[in-house]
Amino acid sequence: MDGIFKVPIRNLFCLLSYANEMPELVKSLNDFDEDLITYDFMATQFLREAENIIQHRLVKNYVTRVEPTKNLGGRMLMNESMPFLIAKLPMVVCVKDNYSSEILLNQVMKSTLSAISSNRFIKEEIRKKSFVLMEAMPEIECQKLTKDMFNRIQFGRHTVHYKRMVHIARLLHELTFLSHKRGNWSLFSAEIDEKTLNQLFEKFLFHFYRIEQNEYRVSSEIMQWRLIGKQSLLPTMKTDVSLTNKNSPEKIVIDAKFYKNIFQENFGKSSFHSHNMYQLYTYLMHQPSSLSVRGILIYPYNGIEVNEVYQWDERIKMAVMTINLEDSWTNIYDHLLSVLNKE
């Protein structure tokens, strides 16, 4: 069975914000006590944005509809209308462009309001406020929120004021999805399995280092094996995060591994997981000889703090460290940046 990690909502909010390339959301909440950033808090922020849009700046646009109608208008679709004509029914199928608020941005907003109003874990006044705002949008239908809906959204000059609302809606959706995968959910923390958290943390690390520093170029590189033979049968070597120094011949390769137990046991002896060490070691050995390289394995803190450094020669070093996702966001932020400066 996969290991399960309990992560505070406030830190999940930060991880998701960076993973979705929305660090401005984290920075906009710097003035708030971290412990106040719960699901309720985020829902309240969303309601504030939604209320402002609904009352003052709700966007409408021309929406193409295909529908049976008794009143001929727009462009009639003959093939689709034939069953009605054969049955001698006073109906035809027409394509019409209607000026309507039934656009994707508003559908996402109303569907998020619906999700909040039906969430039995949040405060009653927040649920009621969500329902009131939903009632103010009677012409807009609720849709089942999906990742694809958010991916299809594009902002233009007349809809840029929707951006913060949509970003918070996306985070609320992803938080709920992550938490409900195992049915363990609270306002303050969520329980997440190893695989899901590992994928999220990898994406977070990539964008965190891309956004929060400018000394290194950030990439996820695919390396070729230095072996002669049928390359197509060899496994892919792809790093989670590679940081190449812009001003000196130095590279850092970071790999995140989220296991409940960072040690493997063999005949009563504890050691780091061998396949993780072999994998990172292989990455380092395939780096150009002109570079000074450091490899870093990051594990979640689970009662045992680890900060070990190993050296192959003057050019190649490896480190194994833990990070505590239940710590304050400020400490996590500082810890990850300090990694770049450690020798």
Side-chain angles (χ1 to χ4, degrees), residues 4-9 12 184 186 188-192 197 260 324-326:
I4 303 300
F5 297 91
K6 182 173 284 189
V7 182
I9 291 291
L12 268 181
N184 296 309
S186 75
F188 299 94
S189 65
E191 293 187 355
I192 306 177
L197 186 55
K260 193 67 175 177
N324 186 359
L325 288 184
E326 294 189 47

Side-chain angles (χ1 to χ4, degrees), residues 320-341:
V320 182
M321 58 173 279
T322 52
I323 189 161
N324 186 359
L325 288 184
E326 294 189 47
D327 204 348
S328 71
W329 169 247
T330 302
N331 287 344
I332 293 173
Y333 180 96
D334 292 342
H335 191 181
L336 288 175
L337 285 184
S338 71
V339 165
L340 304 183
N341 301 318

Side-chain angles (χ1 to χ4, degrees), residues 49-242:
E49 297 293 324
E51 184 175 29
N52 182 56
I53 292 171
I54 292 169
Q55 292 183 352
H56 305 293
R57 307 178 71 185
L58 192 70
V59 170
K60 293 186 178 183
N61 207 339
Y62 285 100
V63 178
T64 301
R65 291 184 180 276
V66 178
E67 57 187 4
T69 178
K70 293 182 179 181
N71 302 311
L72 187 62
R75 180 167 58 89
M76 187 178 79
L77 299 178
M78 183 58 70
N79 289 341
E80 287 79 358
S81 299
M82 284 304 296
F84 295 105
L85 298 175
I86 293 171
K88 297 182 179 181
L89 296 174
M91 301 281 286
V92 290
V93 178
C94 293
V95 177
K96 299 180 182 179
D97 288 331
N98 298 322
Y99 191 63
S100 168
S101 56
E102 183 75 7
I103 63 174
L104 181 59
L105 286 166
N106 293 332
Q107 290 172 345
V108 166
M109 181 162 60
K110 187 167 184 177
S111 300
T112 303
L113 289 169
S114 176
I116 293 172
S117 68
S118 61
N119 190 328
R120 61 187 177 84
F121 292 100
I122 67 177
K123 290 179 181 177
E124 188 64 24
E125 66 249 37
I126 296 177
R127 295 176 61 189
K128 288 180 179 178
K129 180 70 174 289
S130 301
F131 187 78
V132 169
L133 292 177
M134 283 177 58
E135 292 292 288
M137 308 167 69
E139 72 281 12
I140 300 169
E141 293 185 12
C142 282
Q143 307 284 333
K144 179 178 174 58
L145 284 171
T146 63
K147 187 175 182 179
D148 179 65
M149 284 182 71
F150 290 102
N151 290 340
R152 286 190 286 119
I153 289 175
Q154 293 183 331
F155 298 102
R157 183 163 55 91
H158 300 295
T159 58
V160 69
H161 60 285
Y162 276 74
K163 196 170 185 179
R164 183 175 169 85
M165 179 278 293
V166 169
H167 285 348
I168 299 176
R170 184 170 192 158
L171 294 183
L172 288 171
H173 171 67
E174 293 196 26
L175 277 172
T176 306
F177 175 75
L178 286 174
S179 304
H180 286 189
K181 284 183 73 175
R182 290 186 172 271
N184 296 309
W185 163 264
S186 75
L187 298 179
F188 299 94
S189 65
E191 293 187 355
I192 306 177
D193 63 83
E194 289 176 353
K195 183 177 179 181
T196 302
L197 186 55
N198 198 97
Q199 291 171 344
L200 171 60
F201 196 74
E202 283 179 15
K203 195 173 180 182
F204 157 75
L205 280 178
F206 183 90
H207 291 294
F208 177 86
Y209 285 121
R210 184 181 63 79
I211 293 166
E212 293 299 338
Q213 59 80 42
N214 54 26
E215 184 180 356
Y216 295 85
R217 287 190 299 273
V218 180
S219 64
S220 176
E221 60 180 329
I222 297 178
M223 293 172 287
Q224 296 298 316
W225 288 85
R226 294 175 185 170
L227 295 173
I228 297 173
K230 195 171 184 179
Q231 294 281 321
S232 61
L233 296 180
L234 296 173
T236 301
M237 287 195 294
K238 184 180 180 182
T239 63
D240 291 347
V241 185
S242 290

Side-chain angles (χ1 to χ4, degrees), residues 261-273:
N261 188 348
I262 69 172
F263 297 112
Q264 63 183 11
E265 299 289 334
N266 188 25
F267 297 107
K269 180 182 181 296
S270 297
S271 63
F272 295 124
H273 291 277

